[in-house]
Amino acid sequence: MKLKSLPYAVHPRPNPIAAALYTLRDINCRHIVLHGPPGCNFRALRLLERDRVKIFTTSMSDFDVVLGGKQKLLEVLDAVYSDFAPEIIGVVGTCCTTIIGEDLEAEVSEAKLPAKVVCANVSGCGDNTEGAIRILESAFKCGIIDSAELERQVRILRMASKVERERGVAIPGYIAPSEGDNCGEVAKEIVERLKEGLIVILNAKKETAYLYADIILAINSAKNRLGGDFAVIANLEDSKGLPKVREDARNIVMELKENGIKIDRFSGSLDEYAYSAEKALELSEEFGYSSAVILGIPQALNPKKFDYSVGVSSGERTMTRLRELGYKRAINEEGAHVSVLGKRRIVRSHLGNAIREVCESRG
């Protein structure tokens, strides 16, 4: 296929503007102004509203794109503060404001609001992580995060982009989408492998862990009902990361504990999935199991260390990549991110439900 030979990705990729928006949420910013056309990043904005974030737009017109939308931004910022008086307001510029060179920092300063305003111009070009980094740099200037956390965030975000370019769906050329394996069949295989011992590695990205952790609950149920053994390695440390990331980790660990599940080894935090992958593989050697179920961002791990491996992630192109990387089975938890927005407890997964059905059928 000729498309595969092109030196850049020709399939859709995540948007840096959306990454900036979600990063604002992670620093507990609950009022965000998108400075751009009203339709820009519509889906990301609507989904953020599920997560207790109030969203506003400056509704830039063709006229504003030519001459600048400063006046609209000042009006919207004044109205947002007047109506809600938030401690933090986020402002994300878009392709339009980037191209015409609007100086967001100067405009925000002119607004003279008695609030911390975290702002950045972000275009749709480049790695999505660059949008997050620009917001974090502004958060540092506002005193919301310290220099150590900023440095850490830049390091792990750029490593995440590197993993996607080398092992994920940001590789050059074209990745054809493909369906995941049948959940019911894979669930039966997992239950059988459980009898010999199983490694379960949670290497999830932020709040998606609320869904992938359900598979750990289901495997534990299978162990209790049908026998077997498994060990859990998870990137659920709660001592590092932005406020929401730490909160999500604490919530999940607590709920697993309530269900009688102890994390055998911690590999990192929920934002360190690019680094925690290698550590998880090293930790897995302590248990000597040859079968593994890897949840969240399995493309960051090398499955060839195991005789049997199941990669569980989201997206049809990711399924293609998991097979290319050597996973024996690939499970698509379609819509994983959408299903966890606004959640603070573990939510049911397709594979988890399939494992429970196997348990029911076998008594």
Side-chain angles (χ1 to χ4, degrees):
M1 179 181 281
K2 192 170 183 178
L3 282 169
K4 284 182 175 288
S5 66
L6 295 176
Y8 44 85
V10 295
H11 44 271
R13 296 290 304 125
N15 191 324
I17 299 172
L21 295 166
Y22 281 100
T23 301
L24 283 166
R25 176 209 57 182
D26 290 344
I27 61 172
N28 286 338
C29 176
R30 299 300 179 198
H31 300 77
I32 300 175
V33 177
L34 186 77
H35 189 24
C40 181
N41 273 266
F42 172 76
R43 179 172 170 77
L45 294 171
R46 288 294 300 273
L47 290 174
L48 267 175
E49 291 181 314
R50 294 187 183 183
D51 221 347
R52 311 170 195 175
V53 178
K54 289 182 171 60
I55 299 293
F56 315 94
T57 173
T58 55
S59 291
M60 288 180 72
S61 65
D62 293 347
F63 182 83
D64 300 320
V65 171
V66 175
L67 298 178
K70 171 184 169 180
Q71 189 57 41
K72 282 187 173 178
L73 177 60
L74 293 177
E75 290 171 354
V76 172
L77 284 173
D78 178 71
V80 169
Y81 190 80
S82 176
D83 290 349
F84 301 105
E87 294 181 6
I88 304 173
I89 300 175
V91 178
V92 178
T94 56
C95 297
C96 293
T97 60
T98 301
I99 290 169
I100 63 177
E102 278 201 39
D103 187 341
L104 287 195
E105 286 193 13
E107 292 172 5
V108 164
S109 177
E110 189 174 328
K112 293 182 169 59
L113 296 178
K116 293 180 178 180
V117 183
V118 181
C119 66
N121 253 333
V122 183
S123 79
C125 302
D127 292 331
N128 65 317
T129 51
E130 292 304 312
I133 288 170
R134 291 181 190 179
I135 286 297
L136 291 165
E137 289 170 341
S138 179
F140 167 67
K141 292 177 182 177
C142 291
I144 295 170
I145 62 173
D146 61 23
S147 60
E149 183 60 23
L150 174 60
E151 290 170 9
R152 175 182 169 275
Q153 289 288 334
V154 171
R155 175 174 55 83
I156 62 177
L157 284 164
R158 293 207 165 129
M159 183 62 176
S161 290
K162 183 175 184 289
V163 168
E164 280 301 300
R165 286 194 298 269
E166 294 177 355
R167 300 183 59 81
V169 293
I171 62 171
Y174 176 70
I175 302 173
S178 64
E179 294 184 1
D181 290 304
N182 181 276
C183 277
E185 293 302 314
V186 174
K188 292 174 185 176
E189 293 175 3
I190 289 173
V191 169
E192 289 302 312
R193 296 280 174 167
L194 187 60
K195 296 175 182 177
E196 302 169 2
L198 190 68
I199 283 284
V200 180
I201 297 175
L202 179 69
N203 193 55
K205 179 180 179 180
K206 299 185 179 180
E207 66 267 19
T208 60
Y210 282 115
L211 179 129
Y212 295 115
D214 176 64
I215 297 165
I216 301 174
L217 292 178
I219 291 173
N220 187 60
S221 178
K223 171 193 168 183
N224 293 337
R225 296 185 65 170
L226 304 175
D229 196 18
F230 73 103
V232 179
I233 299 170
N235 62 327
L236 288 171
E237 293 177 9
D238 64 6
S239 60
K240 295 177 286 186
L242 301 177
K244 184 179 183 299
V245 173
R246 298 197 304 270
E247 176 192 350
D248 290 340
R250 284 193 293 271
N251 290 344
I252 294 167
V253 169
M254 184 176 297
E255 189 169 349
L256 291 174
K257 186 176 180 180
E258 288 170 358
N259 284 274
I261 300 171
K262 179 177 73 74
I263 307 298
D264 295 286
R265 300 289 185 273
F266 288 93
S267 57
S269 58
L270 282 173
D271 55 7
E272 292 180 325
Y273 52 91
Y275 280 101
S276 59
E278 193 62 35
K279 185 175 180 181
L281 283 180
E282 293 174 6
L283 292 170
S284 71
E285 294 176 2
E286 299 178 26
F287 301 94
Y289 296 142
S290 61
S291 299
V293 177
I294 303 173
L295 313 168
I297 311 290
Q299 59 267 37
L301 288 83
N302 181 2
K304 294 179 181 178
K305 174 173 180 172
F306 305 101
D307 295 337
Y308 174 84
S309 55
V310 180
V312 186
S313 192
S314 179
E316 293 181 338
R317 287 188 171 86
T318 301
M319 298 300 103
T320 301
R321 287 296 292 137
L322 293 181
R323 293 189 177 101
E324 290 173 348
L325 291 168
Y327 278 90
K328 303 295 184 185
R329 296 286 182 265
I331 292 293
N332 187 7
E333 289 287 346
E334 190 64 51
H337 192 214
V338 174
S339 69
V340 299
L341 285 172
K343 306 299 183 185
R344 296 297 183 270
R345 291 187 65 82
I346 294 172
V347 302
R348 287 294 182 99
S349 62
H350 298 305
L351 182 58
N353 287 338
I355 292 170
R356 293 182 184 94
E357 289 175 7
V358 171
C359 292
E360 290 293 331
S361 68
R362 298 186 183 183

